[in-house]
Every structure is written in structure tokens, then in C-alpha cells.
Amino acid sequence: MGRAMKDSGVEWIGEIPEDWEVVPHKYVMHKEKSICDHYSGEQILSLTLNGVIIRDLDAGGKMPTTFDGYQYIKSGDLLLCLFDIDVTPRCVGLVKNDGITSPAYSRFIVHPGFLNSYYDYLLRALDDKKVFVPLSKNLRNSLTETDFGAIKTIVPPLHEQEIIAMFLDKKCAEIDSIIVQTRASIEEYKHLKQAVITQAVTKGVRGDRPMRDSRNEIIGAIPSDWQVQKMTYISEKIGDGLHGTPQFSDEGVASFINGNNLGNAHITIKDSTSKVSEEEAAKYLVPLNRQSLLISLNGTIGKLSYYNGEKIILGKSAGYINLIPGINKYFICYYLQSSVVSLLFELSFAGTTIKNLSLETLRNLTIIYPPVDEQKQIVAYLDKKCAEIDALIAKKEQLLTELESYKKSLIYEYATGKKAVPVQ
């Protein structure tokens, strides 16, 4: 028999067990801020999708000029992001280490009689559903401490808070373990795909055959009838996009794209992609054709797309390679995905603090390629093999989506009392 339920009176929570209470957040927790005037080596903590983590200061990324003025936080605190809550991936996390963090976050202390780990799960469930967004104010979708404190929350009996938190700790750990294994499997398939591509575009798919030295120690021996050239000699033109911003128009006909629009066979043009009028586009059009490949020059470097006649204006982070007739663009696209090219790109970044793929590197990139008929044969072979591996990756990625969805559903249902923790 199910337990007796009642209406919580809170729209986004709905029914709760009859013996649970409803109170404003200010009775459960309060905000405190203690500023670190002079940084002296404390751990730097950041709020992420994976909770509050210790930041690796050697990993790069954006860094402030100083950590003076950061705020102290302690293990057991709840760390909340109460601004930009419509777009912030995770707005709450349970602090598990002492340290300091950005003063922009809000440090909340949970009162005696309430369990911080339970409220971490409850707020995570509500954050996943973005239920606080309609209650936020101003252009940055923010909540003040007073705003947040006035919002109603639920209060199970303390022993039930403990039972729910322990149950979710166990279940979430099990799900996270499967997620980690699944992600590792996806990476293995991606490495396998690159290995298959590399073997095919550097050695061919015709079995044993006469080989010769490519005179490039990274590439090694190649089939004796293959050619070795710099990219510039098999291209009509290599360039990048506009180093500036065109005038955009809601009625525009050409899409303004950058490197982040690349990576699929077809250019990714989203509804939010900026548009440029026909007159404005005419000023910035680059000479793309059916032999053109597009490549990202910064961010995730080396993402590739074919040009298929789309009306586009390229931004500066999108490069283009117009191949000469007789060079199979699909073969070159596969070659650019090989581990050989990845290593050649990495070597070009040596000594630089910010990785950008230069046009000079592209022009001087060593390309090996077989006769036209063998280019077609290799492309057909790789289309089949890569489609098989991509299908396996897609299944794993679908499993990840289902696991993440199940985990969110589990947290919401048990933290809000829709389901009771099974009796052991």
C-alpha cells in the first residue's frame, strides 16, 4: 500500500508525503561570505556539472590575475550560483573540501536539524528542471539571498532525509560507475576509428605491396606509387574567413559561421546562427566550390565539413581548402582525421600558449595520396568501416543519455517523496 500524500502547495514539487513539511529556504539555510584578503595557497574550488571540485591550476584555461578577494568555503557548505541560472549548467553543489572560490558564488550554511546532502540532491533535482528561472529577476536571471530565502522548500523528517541521501549516494555511485565505463568505451571506439583511418590513408587497403620511404619519419613507408606533396601543391587556394564582423540582418540569406559550426559532413547551421543580407554577403564571400573542405582553426582544432553549396560567410576561426581537380576531397578529409596529421598539428603548436592552426601550417602540411582509382577505393572502404564504428559509438552515446536521464529522474522522485526508499 502506498503512503498517504498531500499537496505541497509548491507548483514544481506537487504532492509530498503527509508527514513532510513546507517552509521557506531561509529556515533551512542562510548565506555567509568570508573574504580571503590575501591568497596563501588555499585550494581553489569550482562549481561544475560534477559538483564542487578542486581546480587544477596547471591545466590552463582562464585564470584571474590574483585569488585575493576570493571567499572561503568549508566542507559541508552548499555552493549556489544564483545568477545566469537559465544558462548555467549546474547551479548547486555540496562542498567536500575546505578552500576558496569565486566571490560571485553564494555560500549557504545548512542549519542544525537539516541534512546538507539531502538538500544538495533536492536542489539539484530542481536545478535540472530550471524551476527557479521564472522566479529570477533582471537580465542576468538572478536571485538575491532574500529572493531565494523566501522560496518554499520541503522538509522530510531528519531520519528520512538521511535515508534518502544514503540511498541516492549508493544509486548515483552505481550509475556514475556505468557512465565512466561507457565514456571510456566511446573513447576506445574513437581511437579505433582513427587507427583504422590512419592505416588506410597511409598504407592503403590492398594488402602487401612494394613500399618506399616517404622521407617523413612520422609517416614512414608508403606504397611505392603514392605521391608526397605539400597541401599547397594540391590546392587552388587555402584561406580563412572574415577578421571582423559583418552587418547582420534578420532577413539575411547567408549564414555567418565559425569553427564551431564544423565537424559534421554538412555544416551545422542552427536557428541561432547569425544571418547576413545578400548585399552584405557579396562583400565577404570566399571562392568556395565542390572541391572545398572547411576546417576549424581554433577551439577544437581540425573539425572538418564538406562544402555543399551553402550560402555562408566564414568567420576567422573557419579555414577553407580548395583542392585541385583529380584530388578526392573525401580521401583528403579522411587523411586530415588521421593520427599522422594530429601529430603534425601538435608539433606546429610547440612553444605556443594558445593553440591556433595557422594557414601556413596547413599550406606546408605533408600530404600523401594514391592514384585516383585507389583514392576512391580507400574512401569506399573507410565509409563502410567508419559507419560501423560510428553506429557502435551512437549506441554508447544513447546509453549515456538514458543513464543521465534515469539518474535525474531517480533524484527527483526520491528527493521529493514521490517514491519511498525501499525497505532493506
Side-chain angles (χ1 to χ4, degrees), residues 191-204:
H191 288 310
L192 172 62
K193 179 180 175 180
Q194 188 178 53
V196 168
I197 290 172
T198 302
Q199 176 68 22
V201 299
T202 60
K203 310 302 177 189

Side-chain angles (χ1 to χ4, degrees), residues 266-267 288-290 292 306-312 329:
H266 295 278
I267 300 163
L288 302 176
N289 56 55
R290 292 291 179 176
S292 298
Y306 305 117
Y307 177 68
N308 294 302
E310 299 92 343
K311 285 191 174 182
I312 55 174
K329 70 175 182 179

Side-chain angles (χ1 to χ4, degrees), residues 262-279:
L262 308 178
N264 297 310
H266 295 278
I267 300 163
T268 303
I269 299 176
K270 303 175 182 176
D271 292 339
S272 59
T273 301
S274 300
K275 302 290 184 181
V276 180
S277 70
E278 196 153 2
E279 295 75 18

